[in-house]
Amino acid sequence: MPTPRSITLVGVVSVLLIAACGGDDDINANEVPDGDAGTAIEVEMRDIAFSPTSIDVEAGDTVRFVFTNTGKLTHEAYIGDAAAQEDHADEMASMGGMDHGGDDVLTVEPGKTGELTYTFDDAGTVQIGCHEPSHFEAGMVMDVAVS
Protein backbone atom coordinates (compact mmCIF):
# COMPACT_ATOMS: atom_id res chain seq x y z
CA MET A 1 0.00 0.00 0.00
CA PRO A 2 1.46 3.40 -0.96
CA THR A 3 2.23 5.78 1.86
CA PRO A 4 1.15 9.46 1.80
CA ARG A 5 4.81 10.42 1.43
CA SER A 6 5.30 8.21 -1.67
CA ILE A 7 2.09 9.58 -3.21
CA THR A 8 3.31 13.14 -2.67
CA LEU A 9 6.69 12.29 -4.20
CA VAL A 10 5.05 10.74 -7.27
CA GLY A 11 2.83 13.81 -7.61
CA VAL A 12 5.77 16.23 -7.45
CA VAL A 13 7.78 14.22 -9.97
CA SER A 14 4.77 14.07 -12.32
CA VAL A 15 4.27 17.84 -12.18
CA LEU A 16 7.96 18.44 -12.90
CA LEU A 17 7.92 16.04 -15.85
CA ILE A 18 4.81 17.66 -17.32
CA ALA A 19 6.34 21.13 -16.94
CA ALA A 20 9.61 20.02 -18.55
CA CYS A 21 7.87 18.41 -21.51
CA GLY A 22 5.40 21.21 -22.10
CA GLY A 23 6.09 24.25 -24.23
CA ASP A 24 5.79 25.53 -27.75
CA ASP A 25 8.35 24.05 -30.14
CA ASP A 26 7.45 26.64 -32.79
CA ILE A 27 8.85 29.52 -30.73
CA ASN A 28 12.63 29.84 -30.65
CA ALA A 29 14.27 31.32 -27.54
CA ASN A 30 14.92 34.57 -29.44
CA GLU A 31 11.37 34.93 -30.76
CA VAL A 32 8.33 36.39 -29.07
CA PRO A 33 4.82 36.03 -30.50
CA ASP A 34 3.45 39.41 -31.54
CA GLY A 35 -0.15 38.83 -32.59
CA ASP A 36 -1.20 40.39 -35.89
CA ALA A 37 2.08 42.30 -36.31
CA GLY A 38 4.02 39.15 -37.21
CA THR A 39 6.94 37.90 -35.18
CA ALA A 40 9.26 39.90 -32.96
CA ILE A 41 12.86 38.72 -32.88
CA GLU A 42 15.14 39.96 -30.13
CA VAL A 43 18.66 40.73 -31.33
CA GLU A 44 21.57 41.61 -29.08
CA MET A 45 24.15 44.02 -30.49
CA ARG A 46 27.51 43.36 -28.87
CA ASP A 47 30.96 44.72 -29.57
CA ILE A 48 31.29 43.49 -32.40
CA ALA A 49 28.59 40.90 -33.16
CA PHE A 50 24.87 40.27 -33.48
CA SER A 51 23.23 37.49 -31.50
CA PRO A 52 21.74 35.46 -33.05
CA THR A 53 24.02 35.41 -36.10
CA SER A 54 21.42 33.86 -38.41
CA ILE A 55 17.66 33.38 -38.65
CA ASP A 56 15.20 31.72 -41.01
CA VAL A 57 11.97 33.35 -42.21
CA GLU A 58 9.33 32.66 -44.84
CA ALA A 59 8.82 34.88 -47.89
CA GLY A 60 6.01 37.29 -47.02
CA ASP A 61 6.81 37.32 -43.28
CA THR A 62 6.81 40.65 -41.49
CA VAL A 63 9.32 40.67 -38.66
CA ARG A 64 9.72 43.26 -35.93
CA PHE A 65 13.38 43.20 -34.89
CA VAL A 66 14.05 44.45 -31.37
CA PHE A 67 17.72 45.42 -31.22
CA THR A 68 19.33 45.90 -27.80
CA ASN A 69 22.82 47.38 -27.78
CA THR A 70 24.63 45.79 -24.83
CA GLY A 71 28.01 46.98 -26.07
CA LYS A 72 30.00 50.14 -25.51
CA LEU A 73 29.89 51.30 -29.15
CA THR A 74 27.14 52.69 -31.34
CA HIS A 75 25.77 50.04 -33.70
CA GLU A 76 23.66 50.02 -36.83
CA ALA A 77 21.30 47.49 -38.36
CA TYR A 78 20.89 47.75 -42.13
CA ILE A 79 18.73 45.18 -43.95
CA GLY A 80 19.51 44.26 -47.57
CA ASP A 81 21.13 41.72 -49.87
CA ALA A 82 24.91 41.60 -50.37
CA ALA A 83 24.86 44.25 -53.13
CA ALA A 84 22.72 46.58 -50.99
CA GLN A 85 25.13 46.07 -48.06
CA GLU A 86 28.03 47.11 -50.28
CA ASP A 87 26.17 50.19 -51.56
CA HIS A 88 25.22 51.18 -48.01
CA ALA A 89 28.83 50.76 -46.84
CA ASP A 90 29.98 53.09 -49.64
CA GLU A 91 27.28 55.61 -48.70
CA MET A 92 28.24 55.48 -45.03
CA ALA A 93 31.90 56.00 -45.90
CA SER A 94 31.10 59.02 -48.07
CA MET A 95 28.95 60.54 -45.31
CA GLY A 96 31.56 60.01 -42.60
CA GLY A 97 29.40 57.40 -40.86
CA MET A 98 26.50 59.78 -40.21
CA ASP A 99 23.08 58.31 -39.40
CA HIS A 100 20.80 59.01 -42.34
CA GLY A 101 17.72 56.97 -41.38
CA GLY A 102 15.33 55.05 -43.61
CA ASP A 103 12.89 52.16 -43.43
CA ASP A 104 15.62 49.55 -43.63
CA VAL A 105 18.21 51.03 -41.27
CA LEU A 106 18.44 51.74 -37.55
CA THR A 107 21.16 53.18 -35.32
CA VAL A 108 21.25 52.14 -31.65
CA GLU A 109 23.38 53.88 -29.04
CA PRO A 110 25.05 51.88 -26.23
CA GLY A 111 22.57 50.76 -23.58
CA LYS A 112 19.57 51.58 -25.78
CA THR A 113 16.97 49.53 -27.63
CA GLY A 114 15.48 50.21 -31.04
CA GLU A 115 13.03 48.49 -33.36
CA LEU A 116 12.97 47.91 -37.10
CA THR A 117 10.06 46.22 -38.89
CA TYR A 118 10.72 44.59 -42.24
CA THR A 119 8.70 42.46 -44.65
CA PHE A 120 10.70 39.81 -46.49
CA ASP A 121 9.03 39.76 -49.91
CA ASP A 122 11.21 37.35 -51.87
CA ALA A 123 13.01 34.08 -51.18
CA GLY A 124 16.78 34.29 -51.04
CA THR A 125 19.46 35.53 -48.69
CA VAL A 126 19.31 38.87 -46.93
CA GLN A 127 21.75 40.29 -44.42
CA ILE A 128 21.53 42.64 -41.48
CA GLY A 129 24.82 44.48 -41.21
CA CYS A 130 26.40 47.08 -38.97
CA HIS A 131 28.28 49.64 -41.05
CA GLU A 132 29.76 51.67 -38.26
CA PRO A 133 33.48 51.99 -39.11
CA SER A 134 35.06 48.51 -39.47
CA HIS A 135 32.17 46.64 -37.79
CA PHE A 136 30.84 44.89 -40.93
CA GLU A 137 34.37 43.96 -42.00
CA ALA A 138 34.96 42.50 -38.52
CA GLY A 139 31.95 40.20 -39.01
CA MET A 140 29.04 42.13 -37.48
CA VAL A 141 26.47 40.67 -39.84
CA MET A 142 23.40 38.47 -39.42
CA ASP A 143 22.30 36.16 -42.24
CA VAL A 144 18.57 35.89 -42.95
CA ALA A 145 17.53 32.87 -45.03
CA VAL A 146 14.18 33.61 -46.69
CA SER A 147 12.40 30.49 -47.98
Side-chain angles (χ1 to χ4, degrees):
M1 182 110 197
T3 66
R5 182 179 171 130
S6 66
I7 292 172
T8 302
L9 181 60
V10 168
V12 169
V13 170
S14 297
V15 168
L16 291 173
L17 286 173
I18 291 169
C21 294
D24 188 346
D25 292 335
D26 295 333
I27 302 295
N28 155 323
N30 292 320
E31 296 179 8
V32 179
D34 195 31
D36 295 336
T39 299
I41 298 181
E42 296 177 3
V43 180
E44 180 183 9
M45 302 168 122
R46 295 185 240 164
D47 298 332
I48 297 180
F50 288 115
S51 180
T53 58
S54 65
I55 61 168
D56 298 320
V57 300
E58 301 278 328
D61 282 356
T62 297
V63 177
R64 181 174 56 93
F65 292 96
V66 180
F67 293 95
T68 301
N69 186 344
T70 61
K72 295 179 180 172
L73 304 172
T74 299
H75 292 297
E76 175 192 63
Y78 175 76
I79 301 176
D81 62 16
Q85 294 292 335
E86 189 173 318
D87 290 344
H88 183 70
D90 292 343
E91 186 177 343
M92 287 288 287
S94 71
M95 295 176 67
M98 294 172 24
D99 177 25
H100 56 276
D103 292 339
D104 51 4
V105 65
L106 172 73
T107 301
V108 184
E109 297 297 325
K112 302 292 182 184
T113 298
E115 295 184 8
L116 184 61
T117 300
Y118 190 85
T119 300
F120 295 91
D121 294 321
D122 301 313
T125 302
V126 178
Q127 294 178 317
I128 300 175
C130 178
H131 293 280
E132 290 295 321
S134 74
H135 292 198
F136 190 84
E137 295 77 14
M140 192 165 183
V141 61
M142 176 192 307
D143 293 316
V144 181
V146 186
S147 56

